[in-house]
Amino acid sequence: MKIWLKIAVSIWLTGIIIAGIAFPMVKAPETWWQFPLIPGLEEKARNIIFHVPISWATVVAFIMAMVNGILYLRKKDIDYDLRSVSSAGLGLLLCVLATLTGAIWAKFNWGSFWNWDPRQTSIFILLLIYGAYFVLRSAIDEEERRATLSSVYSIIAGVTVPFFIFVMPRIMSGLHPGSLGDEQGKGPVLEFKMAPNMLIVFFASLIGFTALYFWMYSLKIRTMRIERQIQQQIEIN
Amino acid sequence: MTLLASYHIFVKEFVSEFRTRYALNALLMFVVTTLSIILFSIGHDSPTQEILSGTLWIVIFFSAMSGLSRTFVAEEERGTSLTLRLLTNSTSVYSGKLIYNFILILALSIIIAIAYLLLIKEFSVKTYSIFWLTIFLGSAGLASASTILAAIIAKANTKGTLFPVLAFPILLPLLLTCINATKLSVDGAFFSEAIKEFQILISFAIVMVTTSLLVFDFVWKD
């Protein structure tokens, strides 16, 4: 990533964190920096600016791992495997963060940390998939075989993701918006009923966290490449 | 050509299984053991139908895991995978093994279901059409996902423990849907009420088989 892009992402995310935490929530917003107070959610609604973009970035990381897996199978270039595993590693980190922020939010809004709501179940499954992916990788010594098999596994796991995201919330009743039993839940993509200024911060946060993911991703790839070179140097000597 | 070859693979699996009867005997003992553990733990209590439909699928899932994991491991151990690779293409190997696995797991699930219905008095199915169709489609889904995973773990170092770890997250949407459909059959729902569940089960099996056919070549030729 270019240096000016890094600076831009840092400033962008700092702005979002300030806006998300410090903008006051009032009953009748008057200026652009006041969020409306939603009954039932109150100050807890701020979490949407952090929790949802992190969950989104988790899915982006997973898709990137899968796409690079497919590219590895097509091109048989080990660099794609490095990209795939970098993305999966970041995805695991983001997945843990999404689970934690979600659990804390669930505790204060729904009463307990874990309710086996369909979306909580899906994020838990995603965590298991990432875990299984790394367990599989550690069970294979040979580099190319490890790359091939973990790519295949990420594809097999990837095709089941639509079942969690689109199918499970439809058949199980849940607490998240868009679940079965929620009158507003018409489709998998929610109809946002947020105040315009909050919506802007929310989408800015989505962009910001996605950019942050790509920044971390490029760093991770570079370290992985260097690690691999050092490993090869050691083996030669 | 491919069809004939996959039929031959299927026959080969069948014959080699019936020569030793290793998997079959082990699986039947596994079913007896798990069912008796459930019976011991129930004792004189009467658990709810929801819990009982859950445990039915736990038994089916773990017996499928222990039975299907050997599909490709056996080829690697006996050193016959090279011969198979020379003689035929990967698609027919996959489809032959898939059909064999499906029939094995279907027979197993039917045995488990019958034993479960007979042994556990509290578990009474009201809509049998939903129940048996769930068993059928659930077995298809289990076989479709397990075959490709068995091919993956056959190439890994630690084969035994890896299989359930890899399979569980992938099979969970299938298992949850199966448990849901079983609950419906116990509750005495009409057949039309379970259509949604069957759609999910059918699409799961189709998606799994299609993807596996596309990627199996990479695993097999590795």
Side-chain angles (χ1 to χ4, degrees):
Chain A
M1 255 169 120
K2 296 275 183 296
I3 182 76
W4 57 267
L5 208 58
K6 292 180 185 173
I7 294 168
V9 171
S10 318
I11 295 169
W12 185 269
L13 274 172
T14 315
I16 286 159
I17 291 167
I18 291 169
I21 292 175
F23 276 15
M25 291 203 151
V26 289
K27 280 215 178 81
E30 285 160 0
T31 48
W32 59 271
W33 43 266
Q34 285 176 329
F35 289 149
L37 197 72
I38 305 157
L41 274 172
E42 285 113 33
E43 299 280 339
K44 285 165 267 174
R46 292 178 195 284
N47 201 357
I48 201 165
I49 290 161
F50 305 103
H51 169 65
V52 179
I54 289 172
S55 319
W56 157 256
T58 310
V59 178
V60 171
F62 185 77
I63 292 168
M64 285 295 285
M66 185 177 137
V67 168
N68 281 309
I70 295 170
L71 283 172
Y72 174 77
L73 290 180
R74 287 182 70 90
K75 307 247 170 79
K76 291 284 171 190
D77 180 356
I78 203 75
D79 195 58
Y80 287 111
D81 182 57
L82 293 183
R83 291 181 196 190
S84 186
V85 72
S86 315
S87 191
L90 281 176
L92 184 62
L93 173 72
L94 289 166
C95 198
V96 171
L97 285 177
T99 314
L100 287 179
T101 51
I104 292 167
W105 201 3
K107 171 72 185 169
F108 293 103
N109 243 24
W110 301 333
S112 67
F113 284 113
W114 205 257
N115 317 72
W116 291 112
D117 165 271
R119 293 220 191 272
Q120 284 184 327
T121 314
S122 1
I123 202 86
F124 174 66
I125 303 299
L126 206 54
L127 210 56
L128 285 183
I129 289 176
Y130 278 128
Y133 176 87
F134 284 104
V135 169
L136 175 67
R137 286 188 73 90
S138 64
I140 310 161
D141 298 326
E142 204 186 319
E143 193 177 44
E144 275 161 25
R145 175 172 282 190
R146 180 171 63 211
T148 310
L149 295 182
S150 58
S151 299
V152 169
Y153 185 70
S154 69
I155 294 167
I156 294 287
V159 295
T160 60
V161 166
F163 284 92
F164 301 118
I165 296 175
F166 298 104
V167 179
M168 293 317 291
R170 306 290 112 204
I171 64 162
M172 287 163 76
S173 57
L175 299 159
H176 271 87
S179 305
L180 191 78
D182 178 28
E183 312 90 61
Q184 297 170 4
K186 289 184 192 114
V189 179
L190 307 176
E191 284 178 47
F192 288 105
K193 285 189 176 168
M194 269 192 267
N197 58 346
M198 210 171 166
L199 205 61
I200 289 168
V201 177
F202 174 71
F203 278 111
S205 173
L206 271 185
I207 296 166
F209 274 97
T210 314
L212 181 70
Y213 157 73
F214 278 106
W215 183 359
M216 288 161 86
Y217 174 57
S218 70
L219 276 178
K220 182 88 179 135
I221 295 170
R222 274 161 59 200
T223 49
M224 290 290 287
R225 279 180 195 146
I226 294 166
E227 263 172 34
R228 187 164 173 273
Q229 274 172 5
I230 293 170
Q231 201 67 41
Q232 278 175 339
Q233 287 289 319
I234 293 167
E235 274 163 29
I236 290 166
N237 294 336
Chain B
M1 179 56 208
T2 310
L3 269 180
L4 193 69
S6 31
Y7 171 72
H8 284 304
I9 298 276
F10 169 68
V11 173
K12 173 202 89 69
E13 287 290 306
F14 216 74
V15 169
S16 62
E17 177 50 47
F18 269 82
R19 264 187 208 144
T20 59
R21 292 197 196 86
Y22 166 77
L24 217 59
N25 291 339
L27 281 180
L28 284 177
M29 282 316 291
F30 187 89
V31 171
V32 172
T33 321
T34 39
L35 276 180
S36 47
I37 290 171
I38 291 175
L39 284 173
F40 288 143
S41 57
I42 289 177
H44 293 292
D45 295 339
S46 47
T48 58
Q49 305 276 6
E50 279 76 29
I51 293 174
L52 286 174
S53 17
T55 40
L56 170 67
W57 283 97
I58 291 175
V59 177
I60 293 179
F61 173 73
F62 280 104
S63 26
M65 288 304 99
S66 52
L68 300 184
S69 65
R70 288 194 49 81
T71 327
F72 288 94
V73 177
E75 301 283 358
E76 298 284 332
E77 279 173 1
R78 288 190 302 236
T80 45
S81 57
L82 272 176
T83 327
L84 267 185
R85 236 169 283 177
L86 275 176
L87 285 174
T88 174
N89 60 353
S90 49
T91 310
S92 40
V93 173
Y94 175 75
S95 38
K97 297 252 184 194
L98 174 70
I99 296 162
Y100 170 74
N101 276 348
F102 172 57
I103 289 178
L104 180 74
I105 198 68
L106 182 64
L108 199 67
S109 320
I110 290 174
I111 292 170
I112 294 170
I114 291 173
Y116 206 78
L117 284 170
L118 290 177
L119 292 174
I120 299 174
K121 289 189 289 296
E122 289 84 1
F123 189 71
S124 57
V125 172
K126 292 197 185 75
T127 323
Y128 277 98
S129 54
I130 297 180
F131 183 73
W132 290 116
L133 195 59
T134 310
I135 294 279
F136 181 83
L137 292 174
S139 312
L142 277 172
S144 64
S146 315
T147 310
I148 183 79
L149 292 176
I152 291 178
I153 58 143
K155 310 273 180 182
N157 299 341
T158 47
K159 296 177 173 76
T161 47
L162 205 54
F163 195 51
V165 172
L166 293 187
F168 181 70
I170 287 172
L171 286 173
L172 204 79
L174 179 95
L175 288 172
L176 288 176
T177 319
C178 283
I179 292 170
N180 235 12
T182 312
K183 270 184 212 163
L184 284 177
S185 77
V186 170
D187 291 338
F190 291 111
F191 188 77
S192 56
E193 286 173 60
I195 293 289
K196 215 182 213 174
E197 269 74 17
F198 294 140
Q199 283 170 340
I200 296 172
L201 293 179
I202 292 169
S203 50
F204 184 88
I206 291 173
V207 163
M208 271 300 149
V209 171
T210 319
T211 325
S212 305
L213 277 173
L214 291 173
V215 294
F216 181 70
D217 198 52
F218 296 109
V219 183
W220 183 239
K221 295 264 169 69
D222 185 56

